Amino acid sequence: MSKREIHSMPRRALGILCCMAVSSALMAQPKPPRPGFNLFSKAQDVQLGREAAAEVEKQYTIVNDAQLNAYVSRIGKKLASQPEAEDYPYTFKVVSDNTINAFALPGGPTFINTGLIAAVDNEAQLAGVMAHEISHVALRHGTNQVSKANLIQLPAMLAGTMAGKSLAGQLAQLGIGFGANSVLLKYSRNAERDADLLGTRILNGAGYNPVEMARFFEKLNAEAGSARTMQFFSSHPNPGNRVKAVEDLIQYLPARQYNEGSTSELARMKQIVAKLPKPREKK
Ligand code: ZN
């Protein structure tokens, strides 16, 4: 063995080690969360969501302000066009309600409380909550939970769904409604973690800093138990360590130049929200 070969050995060995380190890092790249067990078809998610949205719109005061609607629709469209959102017919409406909350029904109808718009520090935080809700839709968490509820009549009911028959009405007969405590909107901690992780991918793709989503949830958590946040945490239990989970995942995602959003536009939306008439009492 020549002197030269001996000298070059450690370097070659080092090269191999480096290669192994790089490939193990690539191998360790986390896979996106996937929807779980589900007896519903995707089309049934969409049908159920449409029927439930019609009910929600009767029960809640939907804000009819062109600027506010255009604002949430613009953010929503950007998020919904990411491949991880799957191709559901998303819609975005503002609900006149001072509590900090947002919710999405199966198949895409998404509702954003005025209280949420009033509470966010920047557009990325609002987009963050919306991306989290979109993730519940794409991961089909609502109908996954109904599927797991072990309802003996459910498979036959879903197989027998005919055009013109209300899926929501049939589910109501099985005791599944769309109120605050509905199994459709009460997620598990695992579902929350998955919605954060898929939401992180959606936000990164749309050019929003996903850490803002986690920061906002942590900020809400500091207020957990208050009347303003009760509804949110009763349907979205805190999975914990949210900022770290997002930061860990971002390392594997394509680097992006994040869009801060216009602070003056958000300030204008907050003004509109502040001037809205008091919401009528929920039925
Ligand atoms: Zn959630």
Side-chain angles (χ1 to χ4, degrees), residues 220-236:
L220 284 197
N221 198 49
E223 229 194 272
S226 78
R228 288 207 312 165
T229 62
M230 204 144 68
Q231 187 59 60
F232 181 81
F233 284 114
S234 91
S235 36
H236 304 265

Side-chain angles (χ1 to χ4, degrees), residues 170-190:
Q170 293 179 74
L171 278 179
Q173 284 177 0
L174 301 184
I176 296 169
F178 300 96
N181 294 314
S182 169
V183 64
L184 274 164
L185 296 174
K186 241 178 156 33
Y187 305 116
S188 66
R189 282 198 163 74
N190 279 343

